[in-house]
Amino acid sequence: DREINICGHLARHGYVALTIDYALADEGKPEWPRQLHDCKTAVRWLRANAERLHIDPDRIGVMGGSAGGTLSSLVAMTLPSDGLDPVGPRGEFSCAVKCCIDLYGVSDIAKWNEYTVLFGKTFAEAPELYRQASPITYVRANGVPQLIIHGTGDETVAVSQSEDFAEALTKAGSPNELIIVPEAPHSFHLEPEQRDLRPAVFDFLDRHPG
C-alpha cells in the first residue's frame, strides 16, 4: 500500500519510480552491510539501464520509510572512501544520488535499541558496527540534500531521531528540511490523515534534480 501510493504519485508527477527489495536480517543470521549493498546496487542498475528506461542517470534520488529511510540516507551520505560501496555487480557505475527523502528512519542506531538482529552483536561488543550503520555518522558539509519526515505519534522510532539528525546536518552546513507531522504514527505514505505531504515532497524533488 505504501509503495503503491508513493510510486503512483511520483509517476503521475512525472518521475520514474522504482521500488526494490533488500536483504532482511534474521536472528542468528546477521546481514549487514548486505542491505546497503542491495540498495547501492539498485542505483547502479538504474544507471546501467538508463538508456533503455529513458531516464537521466545524473538525476537519481532515493526515498524510503522506516528501515528504508535509514538505508536511503546511507546511500545518499556514504562516499566510496567510507568503504561501503559493493565491489559488484556493475562496479563501473557510481552509487551516488542527488537527493534523499527519509521517512521516519533511524539516524543513530546506538540510541535506538540493542539491535542485535542486524549485527549479531550488542553495541558494547561492536560499537563500530552501530556507528557504521547510522546515517548521522556520515554528516558532512555540503552533503546530498535531505528531506526528513517524521510523526510525533511514532512509537517505533522516536521523532527525536529525525530532529537530532536534522540538527546535525544543519550544524555541519548540509542542506536539509525537516517536516514534523503532529500525531502521525510510524509508517505512513504521502497522504496520512494528518497532512497531505505530496506538495512538500514534489517541491523538494523539483528543486533538487541534480
Side-chain angles (χ1 to χ4, degrees):
D1 179 63
R2 183 175 62 185
E3 290 80 2
I4 293 173
N5 176 278
I6 292 174
C7 290
H9 285 308
L10 290 174
R12 284 187 287 275
H13 193 69
Y15 288 94
V16 175
L18 174 73
T19 181
I20 71 166
D21 289 325
Y22 54 81
L24 301 178
D26 295 323
E27 195 70 51
K29 186 185 176 184
E31 291 282 0
W32 174 259
R34 183 180 165 193
Q35 295 88 353
L36 181 56
H37 286 178
D38 288 346
C39 296
K40 286 175 173 279
T41 297
V43 175
R44 287 176 170 171
W45 184 91
L46 276 175
R47 286 204 165 90
N49 291 276
E51 183 175 357
R52 178 173 67 86
L53 297 174
H54 305 288
I55 64 172
D56 186 341
D58 295 323
R59 301 177 69 180
I60 296 174
V62 285
M63 180 178 185
S66 194
T70 301
L71 289 168
S72 293
S73 288
L74 287 169
V75 169
M77 299 179 70
T78 54
L79 303 176
S81 58
D82 294 314
L84 287 171
D85 285 5
V87 174
R90 303 179 183 87
E92 69 273 24
F93 293 96
S94 170
C95 302
V97 296
K98 291 295 186 179
C99 65
C100 171
I101 300 176
D102 167 13
L103 293 158
Y104 40 85
V106 177
S107 64
D108 190 342
I109 294 179
K111 291 183 178 179
W112 184 42
N113 62 22
E114 285 288 311
Y115 200 40
T116 57
V117 174
L118 184 59
F119 308 115
K121 297 179 180 180
T122 65
F123 177 73
E125 292 171 327
E128 71 283 357
L129 290 178
Y130 284 72
R131 286 192 289 268
Q132 187 186 61
S134 296
I136 203 164
T137 300
Y138 306 98
V139 170
R140 301 177 172 94
N142 303 313
V144 171
Q146 298 242 26
L147 174 60
I148 305 165
I149 304 173
H150 212 127
T152 62
D154 194 329
E155 296 182 358
T156 302
V157 179
V159 69
S160 60
Q161 285 277 344
S162 288
E163 292 171 335
D164 292 348
F165 190 24
E167 181 180 1
L169 289 165
T170 299
K171 285 183 178 179
S174 188
N176 73 93
E177 301 169 37
L178 175 64
I179 295 177
I180 300 298
V181 185
E183 300 182 3
H186 191 68
S187 191
F188 51 80
H189 46 50
L190 299 187
E191 299 173 281
E193 62 181 34
Q194 294 83 2
R195 174 178 174 177
D196 185 351
L197 296 168
R198 290 174 297 176
V201 167
F202 296 155
D203 176 67
F204 176 80
L205 291 173
D206 291 347
R207 286 186 288 109
H208 298 289

